[in-house]
């Protein structure tokens, strides 16, 4: 959970799924700090860690309330994709929000989602960024009108 809209949507979905399955939710936030020379907006490693704690608390408060039942809060330092896979060592499912940067961005900086899909110890659900998903839905609708091209079939 990173505080983004897509991340919050993933927490909402994961919380609902955990409730439906009657299992515990593990909420993971990963932080990193490379020092002041790298232009980080925080002044120290402790500030970066505290920002991660604050994000975790804020998102959980929005999604599940002030006293979330059966939610394990995990704060880790490191590369998000690696830490998420490690934190899921005994998980039934990993739920991520996609930032939807696109192939060019992902090729340049790597993709947390792609790494997690490849290395996760369990199934992975990736939820699209709601804003991008809505744009894509509208664009698709305008290209294919309401019923789609002749002979179109559902895609699963």
């Amino acid at each position: 959970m990173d505080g983004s809209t897509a991340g919050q949507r993933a927490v909402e979905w994961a919380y609902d799924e955990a409730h439906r399955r009657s299992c515990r939710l593990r909420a993971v936030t990963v932080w990193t700090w490379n020092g002041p020379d790298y232009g980080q907006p925080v002044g120290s490693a402790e500030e970066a860690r505290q920002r991660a704690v604050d994000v975790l608390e804020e998102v959980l408060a929005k999604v599940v309330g002030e006293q979330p039942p059966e939610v394990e809060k995990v704060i880790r330092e490191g590369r998000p994709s690696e830490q998420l896979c490690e934190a899921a060592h005994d998980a039934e499912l990993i739920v991520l929000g996609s930032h939807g940067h696109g192939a060019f961005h992902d090729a340049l900086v790597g993709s947390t989602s792609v790494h997690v899909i490849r290395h996760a110890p369990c199934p992975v659900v990736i939820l699209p960024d709601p804003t991008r998903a809505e744009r894509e839905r509208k664009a698709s609708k305008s290209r294919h009108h309401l019923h789609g091209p002749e002979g179109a079939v559902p895609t699963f």
Side-chain angles (χ1 to χ4, degrees):
M1 124 179 13
D2 62 2
S4 67
T5 304
Q8 182 171 325
R9 182 172 183 219
V11 173
E12 292 166 353
W13 194 95
Y15 182 73
D16 289 344
E17 185 67 12
H19 182 71
R20 189 180 71 74
R21 293 179 182 213
S22 298
C23 63
R24 181 182 51 163
L25 176 67
R26 179 177 299 145
V28 180
T29 298
V30 181
W31 66 276
T32 187
W33 186 72
N34 296 321
D37 294 337
Y38 293 94
Q40 293 289 335
V42 292
S44 70
E46 182 51 36
E47 285 180 44
R49 190 187 83 61
Q50 186 58 51
R51 181 174 285 173
V53 170
D54 294 344
V55 164
L56 181 97
E57 295 294 338
E58 288 171 18
V59 171
L60 286 177
K62 284 180 191 174
V63 174
V64 299
E66 294 298 324
Q67 295 296 326
E70 296 298 317
V71 176
E72 176 187 351
K73 300 173 185 176
V74 177
I75 304 290
R76 290 180 171 242
E77 178 184 9
R79 185 173 175 212
S81 56
E82 293 170 358
Q83 293 301 318
L84 290 169
C85 288
E86 189 175 309
H89 69 279
D90 61 347
E92 292 181 26
L93 185 66
I94 296 174
V95 181
L96 300 173
S98 171
H99 289 286
H101 295 296
F104 182 72
H105 176 271
D106 291 346
L108 289 177
V109 298
S111 171
T112 298
S113 298
V114 169
H115 180 93
V116 171
I117 289 168
R118 290 183 177 156
H119 300 283
C122 59
V124 178
V125 172
I126 310 253
L127 297 169
D129 177 279
T131 306
R132 182 174 178 161
E134 181 62 19
R135 274 195 321 264
E136 293 292 327
R137 186 187 67 73
K138 285 180 180 177
S140 177
K141 215 177 204 182
S142 69
R143 283 192 307 268
H144 300 292
H145 305 293
L146 284 176
H147 301 291
E150 189 173 325
V153 295
T155 304
F156 297 94

